[in-house]
Amino acid sequence: MSELFDITQKRVLITGASQGIGFILARGLAQHGAEIIINGTHAERAEKAASTLHEEGFTVHVALFDVANAAEVQAGINHIENTLGPIDILINNAGIQRRHPFTEFPLDDWNDIMAVNQTGVFLVSQAVARRMTERRAGKIINICSMQSELGRDTITPYAASKGAVKMLTRGMCVELARHNIQVNGIAPGYFRTPLTEPLVQDKAFSEWLCKRTPAARWGNPEELIGAAVFLSSRASDFINGHLIFVDGGMLAAV
């Protein structure tokens, strides 16, 4: 049975993996035997992340390119495939957030969010999928969000971008499943990370969150690793076009 979840020596490209959830997934998949390619745009940050994993005994590489830049994406994917080898698994994790009331939301911020969160997923997936279709094998995992289904104050463009990634996941499934490529999404709920620490320390917000979530707590980022291993492994070979909500039951509750 363990062979179903074996990802040993699988080559995994994770975008935006220098920090946060992307780095947690990189470490988690490496611990399960995968070869990791950390993507980012900040060389020092990416090299530091790779060095940390290397010191822990894992096989890791760095691929610097901007997911929202078509030319950089194509050059980056070509370099990986031609020098390191085939990308077996792609995790589209890179994303940004900006907060403003909807009526005052700056157009530049809207464009930045859409470029990274939506267009970036399209560009990287397209470049990688071209190679995967030739091999008739591959797995693509898109990091979605609770906001793929729900809205919240001041982040309407973010929700729009993550809703688009949900539908991109389903559309890609329809076109790529015939080539033995599985495309699924992981939709995290509220997780305790350095970026959310101010909300964690906000007593009123944390009390609301715990009451709103059936599990009655914040998530720990490591709790996303299981879903990533599952969707990266043979165990998910006939699962396609789905979102796994890792949210402590929040979406299920009114």
Side-chain angles (χ1 to χ4, degrees):
M1 289 297 292
S2 63
E3 292 181 3
L4 279 176
F5 300 93
D6 184 14
I7 58 171
T8 304
Q9 298 181 340
K10 294 294 185 181
R11 190 170 293 108
V12 185
L13 170 61
I14 308 177
T15 65
S18 298
Q19 58 185 353
I21 286 174
F23 181 74
I24 294 291
L25 293 178
R27 174 180 274 150
L29 294 182
Q31 289 170 338
H32 283 77
E35 177 182 342
I36 304 299
I37 304 166
I38 288 179
N39 159 261
T41 56
H42 298 87
E44 183 177 353
R45 191 182 299 161
E47 292 291 351
K48 181 179 179 181
S51 178
T52 298
L53 295 183
H54 181 73
E55 290 172 1
E56 294 174 5
F58 304 124
T59 302
V60 58
H61 314 276
V62 170
L64 296 175
F65 59 83
D66 181 354
V67 299
N69 184 306
E72 288 190 23
V73 168
Q74 192 59 62
I77 299 306
N78 287 343
H79 178 74
I80 293 169
E81 292 264 346
N82 295 335
T83 61
L84 299 178
I87 297 168
D88 300 302
I89 301 152
L90 165 65
I91 300 181
N92 285 303
N93 168 77
I96 62 173
Q97 174 69 288
R98 305 280 169 80
R99 294 178 181 275
H100 304 281
F102 176 72
T103 52
E104 285 88 46
F105 215 100
L107 178 59
D108 286 347
D109 282 353
W110 163 275
N111 288 336
D112 288 345
I113 289 171
M114 293 300 167
V116 176
N117 296 5
Q118 182 179 353
T119 303
V121 175
F122 166 76
L123 290 174
V124 180
S125 296
Q126 186 181 62
V128 172
R130 286 172 179 149
R131 303 285 192 133
M132 288 180 170
T133 55
E134 294 172 359
R135 296 187 289 267
R136 294 193 56 78
K139 292 181 181 288
I140 298 175
I141 303 169
N142 296 326
I143 302 301
C144 299
S145 170
M146 287 289 293
Q147 274 63 52
S148 295
E149 297 288 350
L150 302 174
R152 278 195 59 77
D153 282 349
T154 73
I155 60 169
T156 295
Y158 178 83
S161 72
K162 290 300 186 177
V165 173
K166 175 188 74 172
M167 293 311 301
L168 184 59
T169 300
R170 293 178 177 173
M172 288 165 59
C173 156
V174 171
E175 294 202 47
L176 298 177
R178 70 196 70 165
H179 301 290
N180 192 34
I181 299 168
Q182 293 82 53
V183 186
N184 293 288
I186 297 174
Y190 285 86
F191 283 80
R192 185 169 188 163
T193 68
L195 291 178
T196 61
E197 192 59 29
L199 291 176
V200 174
Q201 298 304 323
D202 184 328
K203 184 178 179 181
F205 184 87
S206 275
E207 286 180 353
W208 170 84
L209 176 70
C210 291
K211 289 178 181 178
R212 178 69 175 79
T213 305
R217 64 176 176 84
W218 286 82
N220 299 312
E222 289 77 11
E223 291 175 303
L224 292 165
I225 294 170
V229 171
F230 170 60
L231 293 178
S232 296
S233 71
R234 285 179 47 228
S236 62
D237 278 356
F238 202 56
I239 295 173
N240 224 330
H242 286 277
L243 267 62
I244 297 179
F245 284 86
V246 187
D247 65 353
M250 189 177 196
L251 188 64
V254 175

